[in-house]
Amino acid sequence: MDSAMHMFLAGYQHVAFPDLSDSRIHDHPATYVKSTSLDLVPFQERGMDLPGSATLLLASFCNILGLYCASSDIMIGVVSADRILHGRFCWDAETVWGDLVDETRRSLDRTAAGPNFTESELKSELGLKEDQSPFIALFVLDGPQNVHIPDDLLRSPLLLFDPSAALLSFRTSSRLVQPAVTDQLLSQIVVLSVHAAQNLTSKISSPPSYPADFTSAVQCLSADARASVYEHIRPVVIATNFILPYVQADPNAPAVFWYQTLAAGPIDKLVPETLSYRRTPYPSQQTGSIPDISAVASLRTGLLCAWIATRCFT
């Protein structure tokens, strides 16, 4: 690996854009663009020029993506006039917004001035498949009229900031993001960027209070209201209720089978390791007694693992 690339990728684990679509089957995916207006006054009140505002928007975009992906170390492809810049952005629980914005600006400066790695080079070093991108998403740094996006990157989600129209746009595919989720994502970026502009010394780990219509139904609705939202989903039997009769009938029966190695050849020649229902992790195993219904109900995790394993390996 090239030394410059080695330094850039040191400790990095590839992060892909999450599946925020509403279907597992995408027979006819469509690329679409969603836009929302962006009030630049909060940025101007803090003395930020347009490049500074764009940098703050990029930092906010990175943080939102990090929340969706449960990562604080992500790689963005920054679309400049004549090329794609590779930007890696990291933060931790103690990072404040001002530090992330400054680091984002320095990262862009270093990337623009230093060696630029191609998408194929990054993909090769990260061991990605042909249809994978090293970038979780793209961000347009210049005005839309000044950029050209290569065909092989057109499938990547893209956030575009058009300062002349005070417009923030997100272009993606229905294969990745359901359109209503894109509206929510844009709104979250706007709220977070305004919060960051007004609170540069606050920690990133302390996010703002989002308006109810920018959050999920689980977060913003009461239990009764959530029930009405998801009333089209039929009730299901809890896995522990399904597995409980087996536990009571024969607690020493194998609950989990697994193979330490999977050598080539007939499966009947392989010797599995086993774990009985009695030995699954719940407190009653300390006394060697068979768990009663209340114990099983309060310790669903261990039994759920056992149930999943029996479905997968038997």
Side-chain angles (χ1 to χ4, degrees):
M1 182 188 297
D2 178 87
S3 60
M5 184 177 290
H6 178 78
M7 292 179 60
F8 178 71
L9 293 177
Y12 180 73
Q13 295 293 324
H14 177 250
V15 179
F17 195 91
D19 185 347
L20 302 176
S21 66
D22 60 355
S23 175
R24 293 184 180 181
I25 302 174
H26 305 282
D27 292 329
H28 306 287
T31 298
Y32 64 91
V33 178
K34 289 276 191 172
S35 300
T36 187
S37 58
L38 178 65
D39 185 2
L40 297 177
V41 172
F43 304 92
Q44 296 166 350
E45 289 178 344
R46 301 294 168 174
M48 293 184 179
D49 55 12
L50 287 180
S53 299
T55 302
L56 190 143
L57 279 169
L58 175 55
S60 302
F61 183 40
C62 290
N63 184 243
I64 288 290
L65 291 177
L67 292 173
Y68 275 90
C69 302
S71 176
S72 57
D73 183 0
I74 62 178
M75 192 187 306
I76 296 283
V78 182
V79 184
S80 188
D82 57 351
R83 56 178 176 166
I84 307 293
L85 305 176
H86 53 274
R88 180 180 173 185
F89 307 96
C90 313
W91 61 93
D92 56 35
E94 299 302 315
T95 304
V96 300
W97 278 108
D99 291 343
L100 180 59
V101 172
D102 290 342
E103 179 55 35
T104 300
R105 184 182 296 108
R106 288 193 295 269
S107 177
L108 292 176
D109 291 342
R110 286 195 301 268
T111 301
N116 193 45
F117 313 122
T118 65
E119 184 199 16
S120 59
E121 289 173 335
L122 290 169
K123 187 183 298 186
S124 175
E125 293 299 341
L126 291 170
L128 304 182
K129 298 178 181 178
E130 184 61 32
D131 61 346
Q132 290 180 293
S133 172
F135 309 121
I136 186 173
L138 303 178
F139 180 80
V140 176
L141 188 61
D142 297 322
Q145 69 280 1
N146 298 325
V147 301
H148 168 71
I149 302 172
D151 291 341
D152 57 349
L153 286 177
L154 285 175
R155 63 180 177 272
S156 299
L158 181 147
L159 182 69
L160 187 147
F161 171 45
D162 185 354
S164 61
L167 205 63
L168 196 65
S169 302
F170 194 76
R171 192 207 65 189
T172 187
S173 168
S174 58
R175 179 181 59 82
L176 277 180
V177 191
Q178 202 272 346
V181 177
T182 299
D183 288 330
Q184 182 179 19
L185 180 63
L186 279 170
S187 300
Q188 291 169 338
I189 295 171
V190 170
V191 171
L192 186 61
S193 61
V194 171
H195 165 78
Q198 296 173 337
N199 300 273
L200 290 172
T201 58
S202 66
K203 292 182 180 179
I204 294 175
S205 56
S206 301
S209 297
Y210 291 97
D213 54 341
F214 294 168
T215 58
S216 68
V218 173
Q219 293 176 304
C220 69
L221 299 180
S222 65
D224 291 340
R226 287 199 298 271
S228 65
V229 170
Y230 297 112
E231 62 183 1
H232 61 287
I233 302 177
R234 65 182 181 85
V236 297
V237 177
I238 299 298
T240 49
N241 295 341
F242 173 85
I243 203 172
L244 183 58
Y246 297 92
V247 177
Q248 294 174 323
D250 190 355
N252 293 314
V256 181
F257 292 81
W258 76 96
Y259 298 87
Q260 298 227 1
T261 58
L262 288 175
I267 191 170
D268 56 1
K269 300 294 184 181
L270 300 175
V271 179
E273 300 282 342
T274 63
L275 182 68
S276 68
Y277 291 111
R278 185 189 293 275
R279 292 179 57 205
T280 52
Y282 45 77
S284 58
Q285 82 173 70
Q286 297 175 1
T287 62
S289 61
I290 299 174
D292 58 24
I293 293 178
S294 62
V296 173
S298 63
L299 293 149
R300 293 176 176 177
T301 303
L303 293 178
L304 178 59
C305 292
W307 179 79
I308 292 173
T310 58
R311 298 301 93 191
C312 295
F313 294 105
T314 59

